[in-house]
Amino acid sequence: SYVGDGQVLTVTDVNNDGKTDAVDVQLVVNQVLSGSANASKAGENADANGDGQVNSSDIQAVVNGALLR
């Protein structure tokens, strides 16, 4: 989590709606399957582990975030 604009955001909340859920998982999966994730803002949001790449590790991070909420 981090604080931005007076609001606590979770890095696994890909669509920034305040929760990590199946929608966030699907967004990361879509980015991985598209192959162009690393060049877009959506890809930046999908990089849940912050390593500069969007891949299966990010899918796992978002799934874990959804399960632990």
Side-chain angles (χ1 to χ4, degrees), residues 4 19 29-31 35 40 42 44 51 55 58 62 68:
K19 60 187 179 236
V29 169
N30 290 348
Q31 289 296 312
S40 68
E44 182 180 311
D51 68 356
N55 54 34
D58 299 296
V62 176
L68 296 175

Side-chain angles (χ1 to χ4, degrees), residues 1-2 8-29 42-50 55-69:
S1 298
Y2 61 92
V8 176
L9 302 173
T10 304
V11 294
T12 56
D13 178 15
V14 178
N15 62 358
N16 296 321
D17 68 351
K19 60 187 179 236
T20 301
D21 56 19
V23 174
D24 299 295
V25 174
Q26 189 62 55
L27 289 169
V28 177
V29 169
E44 182 180 311
N45 289 349
D47 182 16
N49 64 4
N55 54 34
S56 61
S57 296
D58 299 296
I59 295 170
Q60 187 63 53
V62 176
V63 168
N64 288 344
L67 293 174
L68 296 175
R69 64 178 176 93

